[in-house]
Amino acid sequence: AEEARAGKGFTVFDGRVLAGAGELDPRRSQKALSATALEMLAGCPFAYFLRYILKVEPPQEQVFEPGRWLDPPSRGLLLHRIYAEYLRKVCSKAPGPASRPPAERELLTEIAEELIAETKETIPPPSPVVYEHEKEELLRGLEVFLKVEEELRQSGSAPVYLELPFGIYSGGTAAEREEEGEELPEPLTVELPDGSSVRLRGRIDRIDRFSSRGEHRVWDFKTGGTYHFDERSYIKQGRQIQHVLYGLAAEKVLRRQDPGAVVEEAGYLFPTEKGEGQRFLRRQDRRREALCALQKMLDLLSAGVFCATADGDRCGYCDYQTVCRFPQPVERMKEKLSCEQNTELHPWKELQEYE
């Protein structure tokens, strides 16, 4: 194994799966994938193999930290709930600017305090001091959220759907979900440039209408920092392809009531102190390019290619560093990619050309 890894050839010891590789291709199995899974595949096929093929998950036990209450996923989930609950109460589903009550700040605080207290019951804080500190931090950060909302409202952008699931169970009866106009139980089928198709599932944080001509925007709330986002990138080698996939799903939902509805833009909102209220919007006029990249990603699955990334910067927050023995695979993969005889790696190399 060590000899094979040290050589230039791409072998079974480097992430090449030979037996039944075609069955892993969702174009063949019709398995519905999430944008999160696809973005992991684009970032590091080996990490995808561990997480979604072998089902190897990081340990879920909670680590007690005397100075911290909520970990990033729990904090993000709480903030998403606060945003959605607030927007449901102050925004009408009718087109045009949202109507907001005068005491919107008080309403947001009330919702936040209620949900923070509810979270406290399920995730006990290490001490009252830590709880009060993080609660104050959360409430202070909502000022950024309000500022972002005000800017969007002034631009004429108002939510028409919030937390819209597609291809996943959303709670309630089918009749209740249909009454709300949010019944989309089947995964989204996306046609690819080569004539094949793939099924996708997910949950759209927010769909806004921003013109009387049926134009819409899709937003995804991000509660972390903006380090990996910039204005120049479109899909970032497939690692930020979610906006295209969610834009397609949103159009399918909207066209049930308005056949002419169009998603002109989709992007990411950072309504926290860490994110500084920044917004990254992507025009949806380059979808074919994104779908070509998606096709390359699925070609990797079809060929059973689960190589490690050759970009060590992508490994900083990976849960599988111990498993892959980082940084050795990264350095070795650079050599294997430079060897033209490794034709299996061509889709991976081509994927890196998609900005």
Side-chain angles (χ1 to χ4, degrees):
E2 286 301 322
E3 279 185 16
R5 291 176 182 138
K8 289 189 176 182
F10 180 62
T11 72
V12 294
F13 299 105
D14 303 297
R16 186 179 182 189
V17 175
L18 300 177
E23 298 175 7
L24 303 177
D25 186 345
R27 293 171 295 190
R28 177 175 172 179
S29 68
Q30 289 299 294
K31 177 183 178 182
L33 296 182
S34 67
T36 300
L38 288 168
E39 289 180 345
M40 176 175 275
L41 173 62
C44 179
F46 183 61
Y48 175 93
F49 178 71
L50 292 171
R51 174 65 183 84
Y52 293 99
I53 306 299
L54 297 187
K55 310 294 185 183
V56 177
E57 298 188 24
Q60 294 299 310
E61 69 266 15
Q62 291 189 355
V63 179
F64 179 76
E65 295 186 32
R68 191 178 79 171
W69 175 34
L70 297 177
D71 60 17
S74 300
R75 185 186 184 94
L77 178 61
L78 171 58
L79 287 172
H80 273 73
R81 293 179 64 199
I82 293 171
Y83 301 156
E85 185 66 22
Y86 169 76
L87 290 171
R88 284 195 186 98
K89 289 190 175 182
V90 301
C91 296
S92 167
K93 285 193 175 183
S99 71
R100 296 171 181 262
E104 59 181 33
R105 179 173 277 98
E106 289 78 4
L107 174 63
L108 179 59
T109 301
E110 177 185 330
I111 292 170
E113 288 184 338
E114 180 179 337
L115 292 177
I116 290 171
E118 183 181 310
T119 303
K120 179 184 177 184
E121 295 301 314
T122 57
I123 307 176
S127 70
V129 173
V130 171
Y131 172 73
E132 291 298 331
H133 172 74
E134 290 199 26
K135 177 181 176 181
E136 180 182 346
E137 191 177 64
L138 286 164
L139 294 175
R140 187 173 66 246
L142 293 176
E143 291 294 326
V144 179
F145 169 74
L146 278 176
K147 182 183 178 200
V148 170
E149 284 304 309
E150 183 65 22
E151 292 171 351
L152 290 174
R153 182 172 65 86
Q154 289 178 356
S155 71
S157 187
V160 290
Y161 286 105
L162 295 164
E163 292 193 318
L164 175 65
F166 59 96
I168 57 177
Y169 177 67
S170 60
T173 67
E176 289 171 341
R177 297 194 298 275
E178 189 169 357
E179 184 179 349
E180 291 294 318
E182 299 183 2
E183 175 63 23
L184 196 63
E186 293 300 318
L188 170 70
T189 299
V190 175
E191 301 295 330
L192 299 173
D194 66 356
S196 64
S197 64
V198 62
R199 285 158 41 102
L200 304 171
R201 59 182 176 82
R203 186 185 300 274
I204 304 171
D205 285 343
R206 172 174 176 168
I207 304 174
D208 279 16
R209 184 166 186 168
F210 69 96
S211 83
S212 59
R213 300 190 304 273
E215 296 172 333
H216 295 79
R217 289 185 182 128
V218 170
W219 291 109
D220 189 64
F221 289 124
K222 298 294 185 185
T223 54
T226 62
Y227 176 75
H228 296 291
F229 291 80
D230 59 68
E231 296 292 347
R232 299 182 303 277
S233 298
Y234 190 66
I235 60 168
K236 211 158 189 175
Q237 297 83 43
R239 291 176 286 137
Q240 289 176 12
I241 201 171
Q242 175 184 290
H243 65 90
V244 174
L245 305 181
Y246 281 16
L248 289 166
E251 279 187 350
K252 182 175 181 180
V253 173
L254 294 164
R255 287 177 179 175
R256 293 179 305 173
Q257 298 181 357
D258 179 4
V262 175
V263 173
E264 291 282 351
E265 300 169 323
Y268 310 92
L269 273 175
F270 292 80
T272 62
E273 285 186 314
K274 189 173 183 179
E276 299 177 335
Q278 293 193 56
R279 289 171 279 175
F280 295 89
L281 266 178
R282 312 288 191 232
R283 294 281 302 173
Q284 295 299 292
D285 54 1
R286 296 168 60 185
R287 283 178 177 169
R288 180 176 175 80
E289 177 185 337
L291 294 179
C292 285
L294 176 56
Q295 199 169 280
K296 299 293 182 187
M297 293 156 61
L298 300 179
D299 287 345
L300 293 172
L301 297 181
S302 179
V305 174
F306 297 98
C307 58
T309 178
D311 183 356
D313 291 340
R314 303 182 189 179
C315 304
Y317 298 98
C318 181
D319 292 316
Y320 300 107
Q321 286 190 18
T322 303
V323 182
C324 83
R325 298 185 294 177
F326 174 80
Q328 289 184 18
V330 172
E331 297 305 317
R332 288 172 173 174
M333 192 50 57
K334 291 178 182 177
E335 295 184 23
K336 296 176 190 291
L337 286 169
S338 66
C339 179
E340 288 300 322
Q341 294 179 345
N342 295 324
T343 57
E344 305 92 342
L345 295 174
H346 286 178
W348 174 251
K349 292 166 70 173
E350 292 164 3
L351 181 62
Q352 308 315 303
E353 299 173 4
Y354 287 87
E355 295 294 330

